[in-house]
Amino acid sequence: MEKKGNIFNIQHFSIHDGPGTRTVVFFKGCNLSCKWCHNPESISPKRQILFYPEKCVGCLACIKNCPGKCHKVGENGAHIIDLSTCQRCFKCCEDCYAEALVAVGEEKDADYVMREILSNKPYFDYSGGGVTFSGGECMLQVDFLSELLKRSKEAGIHTAVDTAGNVPWERFEKILDDTDLFLYDIKAFEPERHKELTGVDNKRILENFEKLVASGKEVFVRIPCIPGSNDDQLPLISNYLEQFPQVTAELLPYHAMGNSKYIALGSKPQIDIPNMDKKVAARLKEKYHFI
Amino acid sequence: MTHAINTEKVNVSDRYMQLIHNLHDDKVKINDEKLKIRGSIDIDDHGFICFPDFHFEPEYAEDGLVHGPKLIGKNFGRFMREMPKYINRNSALATCWVGVIQEFMKIGVAKEDRPSKEWHDTVEKYHILQPGFAGMNHLCPDVNIGLELGWKGLLDKVRKYREINQPENTDFYDGEELLLLGIIDWVEAHAKLAEELAEKETDPFHKQNYLRIAGMNHNLATQPPQDFREACQFIAQFQSVDRTYFAGGATNPLDRMLKPYFEKDIAQGKLTEEEAVWYLASLFFNDTHYSQIGGVSPAGDREMTSRISFVILDAMHLLGIPNNMGIRVHAPLENQGDSPEALLRRAVEYTIEDGFGVCYSLEKGITEGYAKNGYPIELGRMRTKCGCNWVAIPGHEYPLQDVTRVNMAMALHYALEDLKAEKEYSIDRLWELFQHHLSIMVNCIKEGYDKHYEVIGRNVPEIVLNLFMYGPIERGLNCANGGVDVLNLNMDGIALATVADSFAAIQQRIVEEKKMTWERLFELLDTDFKDAENERLMLHNIKRFGSPGSIAEDWALKIRDEYVHQVHDTPTPKHHLMTIPGMFSHGDVYMYGKKTPATPNGRHNGDPISHSSEPDPGFARGIDTFSPALKANAVAKTQAGYGNSAPLHLDIDTGLIENEGGVDALVALIHAHEQMDGTLINMNCVSKEKLLKAHEDPSAYPDLVVRVTGYSAFFASLSKEYRQQIVDRFLSA
């Protein structure tokens, strides 16, 4: 049977996820739950509903068609949504032409994703770019990922995998040959702090990182910097990385662009601070030798 | 291997920087005065200067119009003598233009030469606001003809061929001669004005400058330009004369034209590069004529970028006012060095820094597409970017691009009306009816073109451009009427996305999902979706043209193919003239939208139609988020394909590209679009905050320049509707 993957976004012109101009395929599902995650819709491996009440035109189609009775009109006429009885039919999203209810996550086969990647090949050729598989954690769907990597390489496309590394090493082995570059997230150095911030400790993450570097693959470390959350870890990460002179590390300053999506998912952001000041970020980069 | 070209930025001293800054400030002031007198301007921001007290009394024919070469030449020549003379104190060059001559006299086709009532009825029924008949300019002169002969030499040439041809009707030559005599007097008058200004001037630099201007204009009244500055002065004079007559705005590639003068003067020590920058800035201050830099030789083996190409780019950047320069982008040539890449990169850097800049004319789609008409590919390479979107062979071709619009949404509207009356509904029948109405529109324009070919020369000849083409003077024929060798008439189909999304919405919602009936669709269109917002959104929010793999994209290709077939495969009915399909809407999407009833893509009655062959704003949905690449792919895929440009508009938020890699990404995008058969890119780089603030209070940003579509303009000059167009495009990106 043909492999399918759960994808939530394909971005066609990224200049921030590897060299050159890149197409970024975002896989749905992650086994970390970082407090600052700017793609909260990427965490659950399941298809989800995003709700934007400001777009609702009051057509009541969702109320009529929902078998789980999840949608109601409140006393003040507001659209109230309670997904505890949701039967996951997503009919409410299909019938919501105002796009107030949007299903996020689609099962796509490799042919579909490859068509989109290949349509951008001229941009890759002129910019030294390629495709980046990101997420979520794309290595949780390693068979699908492996197929896309293979087919991309066969088409002469540069490949990158953006990972937090919290998977068995065997999964890396499956894709090593077809991956040109790993974008590897290090979010904290101390295991207990890592667990506190992301829900898991980083023992396996750092072990995999070291094996990956030892394998000779090109690895580019990315360190999200969230003021008041993990900035205490920056000197430790910097110190740790000194033993890997071949590895470049980039600081990713915090931005709050994902906050509206938390609300659309019916939750709220765990961190509610403004975007990181560019000058502060520049000072930290210089201090800790990040780019 | 070519020798290395100096690609460095020109080092400009404080004195010349000051002069250029003063020119910039003067232009902003002049523009502000124009706005106060005339209100907003939604066309090219030409460099004309308003003289509200100037009046002209024309001599009319018996029917109360001015027509015919001789009467036009007589009036035009006198207009040149009488119009105000102008020299800006900060400029290296004299002259300006004071508005198009049609504002000062009623020029038109004689009643007996106009198309039939039936033709006019069709034009009215389908709202063909630009039907092509009596379209003027929209070809490309070769100004080298004038640079070699000068005004006096052109006059001698007219007289020589009058003698050789001895035409029975001397109107053609009379008109050209009367115009040239007026121009020569006008040039001489500027010499006198410069002398008077020199006499009053106390600053030694400016006094000397006026004297030099006086000398140049004396020379140019009797002989061709002898050096770089005189060549710039001649081109400025050409620009002013050309603009005055129906706002002509094309020139051949500026770098190639000026290269011999530039290199000779530099070699002889008569010119410094900073002086050249000032002369060029003065030329760009005079007017926004379209031109091109870069490109390949006709044989395709040599790069035409030279040092002057970089100097031109620097002059435009330093002046910082609207300009209409294009850079020709092509795949690298072997052994030709990296100067074209350096020029492209510099142009992109300036676009990011200034927010606007050159547009990018793309070689492969233009040249290879043109060759598909049956022309040698070498002629395709000679086609130069010389208008909003149009490209032409300088001096040789009469292509009449950008003077017609076939609003395909009107063909769809009448197809739906017919289908409703037939009462047997199917999408196949709707398609047949659409084809039928489209053919009525296309054939109407073809008939108009036949009439244009028959009568325009004896009514409203290209009295200026005939002088700068190969053939008209030699043959005694207007360039539209056998004066030049290459005649092909363009026809622009517009509203592609509006129609494609409409067919796709019908297919998806009515035919496949059966969520709406045909009857309900007709009701919704008749009532303009009154009290039916949800159903409107049902039609609107499908996967629209631009979304990969959408049925709307299949429809866009089918509609494009049908349009191309109707235009290209059959010549005009009477004179068998070749017609070439294009897909350029200019900024006219509001004007056409106002006359277009509601459409099945959920578009309200009177709302704008879609741009050229671009997807509608906000097209990306589902797992595909908007990106410039998605839009570029859609535009490249739906080009008409016969060498006439349909642009990709990119409004880029500077916040997205200010990081390292931004320039590389845009350069890659331009190259990729060229290789994918795109033909033209117009680009703005501006921050969202600045654009929104300027939209709210344009007067607070008097020198913000944007590329509207093919042309650039002061943002403050545009009407609210046109500003909204830019804002909508930007916000959807």
Side-chain angles (χ1 to χ4, degrees):
Chain A
M1 206 173 103
E2 199 181 4
K3 293 181 189 76
K4 286 195 171 182
N6 194 358
I7 303 296
F8 73 93
N9 181 221
I10 299 179
Q11 198 183 329
H12 292 260
F13 196 76
S14 170
I15 56 171
H16 304 297
D17 298 288
T21 305
R22 308 190 73 83
T23 296
V24 186
V25 181
F26 291 90
F27 286 50
K28 193 157 161 47
C30 187
N31 56 4
L32 267 60
S33 48
C34 306
K35 290 185 175 200
W36 54 83
C37 182
H38 63 268
N39 281 332
E41 77 278 30
S42 74
I43 298 172
S44 167
K46 292 179 181 169
R47 205 169 188 216
Q48 287 170 289
I49 294 172
L50 294 168
F51 176 48
Y52 299 99
E54 69 280 7
K55 290 187 178 177
C56 178
V57 293
C59 71
L60 309 181
C62 52
I63 295 177
K64 277 183 221 151
N65 298 332
C66 177
K69 310 284 179 213
C70 299
H71 303 273
K72 274 186 250 170
V73 180
E75 281 175 14
N76 55 0
H79 181 158
I80 295 171
I81 177 166
D82 173 7
L83 296 176
S84 58
T85 53
C86 176
Q87 297 181 15
R88 307 186 49 73
C89 66
F90 296 97
K91 268 196 74 59
C92 60
C93 299
E94 277 168 36
D95 293 337
C96 185
Y97 306 119
E99 299 181 337
L101 292 158
V102 178
V104 59
E106 290 184 34
E107 284 231 314
K108 293 290 179 195
D109 61 32
D111 285 348
Y112 180 94
V113 179
M114 283 311 299
R115 252 197 319 275
E116 294 219 10
I117 294 170
L118 287 167
S119 72
N120 295 324
K121 189 157 184 302
Y123 304 104
F124 310 153
D125 293 345
Y126 271 101
S127 66
V131 61
T132 298
F133 298 102
S134 182
E137 174 54 67
C138 59
M139 292 186 67
L140 295 178
Q141 302 182 56
V142 73
D143 290 340
F144 186 58
L145 172 66
S146 173
E147 179 165 350
L148 292 174
L149 284 165
K150 266 195 181 56
R151 288 172 64 171
S152 299
K153 285 309 295 171
E154 281 164 14
I157 293 171
H158 179 274
T159 55
V161 167
D162 180 13
T163 178
N166 186 33
V167 292
W169 172 248
E170 292 70 34
R171 295 198 179 201
F172 280 94
E173 286 177 332
K174 275 192 178 178
I175 61 164
L176 270 185
D177 288 349
D178 296 314
T179 308
D180 295 312
L181 167 70
F182 284 90
L183 304 171
Y184 205 97
D185 297 355
I186 296 185
K187 299 162 198 281
F189 180 72
E190 295 169 309
E192 64 279 12
R193 290 281 290 128
H194 196 280
K195 186 161 187 181
E196 188 188 323
L197 294 166
T198 71
V200 297
D201 77 35
N202 61 355
K203 183 168 178 287
R204 180 162 69 172
I205 291 171
L206 294 184
E207 279 172 12
N208 283 341
F209 171 68
E210 288 168 22
K211 283 183 190 167
L212 200 55
V213 175
S215 76
K217 278 283 156 188
E218 190 181 357
V219 183
F220 190 92
V221 169
R222 305 213 290 185
I223 305 147
C225 177
I226 292 77
S229 288
N230 76 336
D231 43 357
D232 63 310
Q233 297 292 300
L234 297 182
L236 302 171
I237 295 171
S238 174
N239 191 39
Y240 168 68
L241 290 176
E242 274 180 18
Q243 58 186 301
F244 308 105
Q246 68 274 48
V247 171
T248 308
E250 181 186 17
L251 188 96
L252 304 176
Y254 173 78
H255 65 75
M257 270 154 47
N259 285 4
S260 62
K261 292 189 278 189
Y262 280 97
I263 294 160
L265 283 166
S267 66
K268 56 182 184 180
Q270 294 185 60
I271 289 178
D272 194 6
I273 55 172
N275 287 350
M276 191 171 179
D277 185 78
K278 282 181 187 171
K279 284 181 191 158
V280 174
R283 275 202 298 275
L284 289 172
K285 285 177 186 181
E286 195 183 347
K287 187 171 177 187
Y288 297 117
H289 315 295
F290 301 140
I291 60 165
Chain B
M1 182 79 184
T2 53
H3 65 277
I5 290 167
N6 176 8
T7 62
E8 295 298 313
K9 292 181 183 175
V10 178
N11 199 2
V12 181
S13 65
D14 289 347
R15 171 184 287 279
Y16 288 100
M17 285 299 281
Q18 190 59 52
L19 288 163
I20 294 167
H21 284 158
N22 291 348
L23 282 173
H24 170 95
D25 292 347
D26 286 349
K27 178 61 74 179
V28 173
K29 265 185 240 156
I30 289 166
N31 197 55
D32 194 42
E33 282 161 21
K34 270 197 300 202
L35 277 174
K36 281 180 191 143
I37 295 168
R38 303 169 57 104
S40 55
I41 306 167
D42 285 338
I43 52 168
D44 302 42
D45 189 84
H46 313 133
F48 77 95
I49 296 177
C50 243
F51 292 90
D53 298 333
F54 170 60
H55 297 286
F56 179 73
E57 284 298 325
E59 180 185 332
Y60 282 111
E62 281 178 6
D63 62 359
L65 287 174
V66 176
H67 45 68
K70 185 173 178 180
L71 188 55
I72 288 175
K74 196 173 177 187
N75 276 302
F76 198 172
R78 186 159 64 77
F79 185 87
M80 296 306 296
R81 289 188 192 92
E82 293 179 15
M83 75 182 216
K85 315 298 178 289
Y86 177 81
I87 303 171
N88 185 292
R89 188 168 181 266
N90 297 298
S91 176
L93 309 172
T95 80
C96 74
W97 64 290
V98 303
V100 287
I101 200 164
Q102 309 91 279
E103 289 185 4
F104 298 88
M105 59 192 196
K106 286 181 278 179
I107 304 183
V109 174
K111 196 175 175 193
E112 62 273 19
D113 279 343
R114 293 175 204 161
S116 65
K117 182 183 176 304
E118 291 73 25
W119 184 86
H120 280 290
D121 290 345
T122 306
V123 162
E124 198 167 319
K125 176 179 173 181
Y126 290 91
H127 301 310
I128 306 175
L129 306 175
Q130 290 138 294
F133 173 78
M136 293 300 291
N137 68 70
H138 294 79
L139 55 143
C140 187
D142 188 345
V143 182
N144 282 310
I145 294 172
L147 288 172
E148 281 167 23
L149 296 176
W151 297 112
K152 176 68 168 48
L154 287 169
L155 180 64
D156 293 342
K157 181 179 171 185
V158 170
R159 287 172 174 166
K160 174 184 160 185
Y161 282 100
R162 180 203 286 270
E163 276 303 303
I164 290 172
N165 290 324
Q166 302 221 342
E168 195 177 330
N169 181 342
T170 62
D171 244 30
F172 175 84
Y173 287 119
D174 290 342
E176 299 291 354
E177 197 169 323
L178 287 163
L179 170 60
L180 282 164
L181 289 167
I183 291 172
I184 290 167
D185 289 348
W186 168 72
V187 171
E188 190 56 55
H190 277 93
K192 289 201 180 77
L193 173 63
E195 282 166 0
E196 287 163 22
L197 291 169
E199 204 154 307
K200 289 180 205 152
E201 179 64 57
T202 52
D203 177 273
F205 175 85
H206 288 290
K207 191 179 194 69
Q208 189 53 40
N209 185 43
Y210 282 132
L211 289 172
R212 177 74 175 102
I213 291 172
M216 284 197 301
N217 280 273
H218 275 308
N219 293 345
L220 291 174
T222 54
Q223 65 181 36
Q226 303 296 308
D227 60 21
F228 182 81
R229 187 168 178 177
E230 286 192 4
C232 290
Q233 176 66 82
F234 183 89
I235 296 168
Q237 290 163 351
F238 163 78
Q239 287 180 337
S240 296
V241 178
D242 187 35
R243 275 291 188 212
T244 301
Y245 194 63
F246 290 92
T251 44
N252 41 311
L254 191 61
D255 50 358
R256 297 182 211 186
M257 194 159 40
L258 288 174
K259 185 176 178 236
Y261 299 97
F262 176 76
E263 290 182 349
K264 186 175 154 209
D265 287 6
I266 291 276
Q268 291 180 354
K270 284 171 63 180
L271 176 72
T272 64
E273 288 199 344
E274 65 172 353
E275 285 170 339
V277 168
W278 178 42
Y279 302 161
L280 288 162
S282 302
L283 181 63
F284 299 141
F285 173 85
N286 184 62
D287 189 64
T288 55
H289 258 63
Y290 291 84
S291 190
Q292 174 189 297
I293 52 177
V296 296
S297 60
D301 59 345
R302 280 188 44 244
E303 174 54 48
M304 302 309 284
T305 299
S306 65
R307 176 61 185 157
I308 186 69
S309 315
F310 290 87
V311 178
I312 289 168
L313 206 53
D314 279 1
M316 283 164 39
H317 165 66
L318 293 173
L319 184 61
I321 65 171
N323 74 73
N324 286 319
M325 189 62 63
I327 177 170
R328 188 61 157 255
V329 179
H330 55 84
L333 299 179
E334 263 184 46
N335 300 324
Q336 289 291 299
D338 53 9
S339 61
E341 271 315 284
L343 187 70
L344 173 59
R345 232 189 133 71
R346 179 75 42 78
V348 171
E349 285 165 1
Y350 283 159
T351 301
I352 293 173
E353 189 180 333
D354 301 339
F356 74 103
V358 299
C359 57
Y360 302 87
S361 175
L362 308 178
E363 178 70 28
K364 184 168 176 277
I366 292 171
T367 298
E368 292 180 6
Y370 192 60
K372 277 163 55 187
N373 294 299
Y375 297 114
I377 198 156
E378 289 76 10
L379 291 192
R381 294 195 192 102
M382 288 165 66
R383 283 191 125 201
T384 183
K385 169 81 168 55
C386 56
C388 278
N389 77 311
W390 83 82
V391 283
I393 307 169
H396 292 281
E397 184 179 15
Y398 186 77
L400 214 54
Q401 292 163 57
D402 194 21
V403 300
T404 55
R405 307 274 181 259
V406 177
N407 177 5
M408 295 189 284
M410 285 308 299
L412 177 63
H413 165 72
Y414 284 113
L416 284 159
E417 291 285 297
D418 288 356
L419 190 73
K420 186 168 62 175
E422 287 179 2
K423 294 196 164 68
E424 281 188 32
Y425 311 133
S426 79
I427 199 163
D428 290 342
R429 180 62 186 147
L430 180 64
W431 174 251
E432 284 171 9
L433 291 166
F434 171 74
Q435 287 173 301
H436 167 69
H437 286 285
L438 187 64
S439 73
I440 293 172
M441 297 177 82
V442 167
N443 290 334
C444 170
I445 289 179
K446 286 182 182 175
E447 281 172 32
Y449 272 155
D450 270 336
K451 192 76 180 170
H452 178 87
Y453 171 70
E454 282 172 23
V455 307
I456 202 69
R458 63 176 178 247
N459 283 277
V460 193
E462 294 290 356
I463 195 165
V464 178
L465 297 181
N466 281 337
L467 296 165
F468 297 89
M469 303 294 284
Y470 299 98
I473 303 303
E474 291 86 337
R475 299 170 196 178
L477 291 170
N478 182 43
C479 59
N481 315 97
V484 292
D485 292 351
V486 182
L487 186 143
N488 49 57
L489 303 166
N490 177 74
M491 210 183 287
D492 283 313
I494 60 173
L496 179 70
T498 304
V499 178
D501 291 343
S502 291
F503 271 106
I506 292 169
Q507 182 180 332
Q508 183 176 333
R509 300 304 193 195
I510 297 178
V511 178
E512 291 173 3
E513 296 174 355
K514 302 194 187 312
K515 286 189 170 169
M516 186 182 284
T517 63
W518 284 96
E519 290 84 350
R520 181 61 183 152
L521 173 69
F522 296 136
E523 275 172 30
L524 290 171
L525 295 177
D526 289 345
T527 58
D528 193 22
F529 306 102
K530 189 167 188 301
D531 300 326
E533 179 62 4
N534 198 44
E535 284 166 293
R536 188 188 76 78
L537 290 170
M538 181 205 285
L539 294 164
H540 188 61
N541 286 337
I542 57 164
K543 273 186 100 173
R544 283 185 250 160
F545 167 49
S547 291
S550 60
I551 53 173
E553 185 165 297
D554 296 341
W555 277 106
L557 292 169
K558 183 171 175 169
I559 294 159
R560 186 274 315 266
D561 288 346
E562 176 63 22
Y563 178 72
V564 167
H565 159 70
Q566 288 198 12
V567 173
H568 195 261
D569 294 357
T570 321
T572 62
K574 189 170 176 188
H575 297 293
H576 314 293
L577 307 171
M578 179 196 286
T579 45
I580 296 184
M583 289 192 148
F584 179 54
S585 61
H586 200 274
D588 300 332
V589 294
Y590 277 85
M591 180 169 92
Y592 280 92
K594 269 185 191 159
K595 300 264 185 187
T596 307
T599 40
N601 64 332
R603 182 194 140 275
H604 278 296
N605 176 18
D607 277 358
I609 53 167
S610 58
H611 251 293
S612 299
S613 66
E614 291 198 335
D616 252 343
F619 65 89
R621 31 191 24 83
I623 61 171
D624 295 295
T625 42
F626 174 84
S627 85
L630 269 191
K631 187 174 177 183
N633 291 352
V635 171
K637 229 180 238 187
T638 49
Q639 291 286 313
Y642 285 86
N644 291 351
S645 305
L648 164 68
H649 295 108
L650 289 178
D651 300 289
I652 309 260
D653 190 336
T654 40
L656 298 178
I657 47 163
E658 63 190 1
N659 297 343
E660 199 183 338
V663 173
D664 293 334
L666 291 182
V667 167
L669 177 74
I670 293 165
H671 271 306
H673 195 54
E674 193 259 348
Q675 283 302 297
M676 293 160 100
D677 293 333
T679 46
L680 174 64
I681 298 176
N682 299 318
M683 198 189 297
N684 293 308
C685 294
V686 62
S687 77
K688 184 174 160 183
E689 291 71 26
K690 185 172 178 182
L691 190 67
L692 292 177
K693 280 183 191 163
H695 186 36
E696 206 169 295
D697 181 11
S699 62
Y701 296 85
D703 57 1
L704 173 63
V705 178
V706 292
R707 193 158 285 282
V708 182
T709 164
Y711 61 95
S712 68
F714 285 113
F715 192 66
S717 297
L718 301 171
S719 66
K720 197 174 174 196
E721 273 185 347
Y722 264 62
R723 294 201 311 271
Q724 188 67 48
Q725 191 178 135
I726 313 283
V727 171
D728 287 349
R729 226 165 53 193
F730 190 86
L731 293 181
S732 72

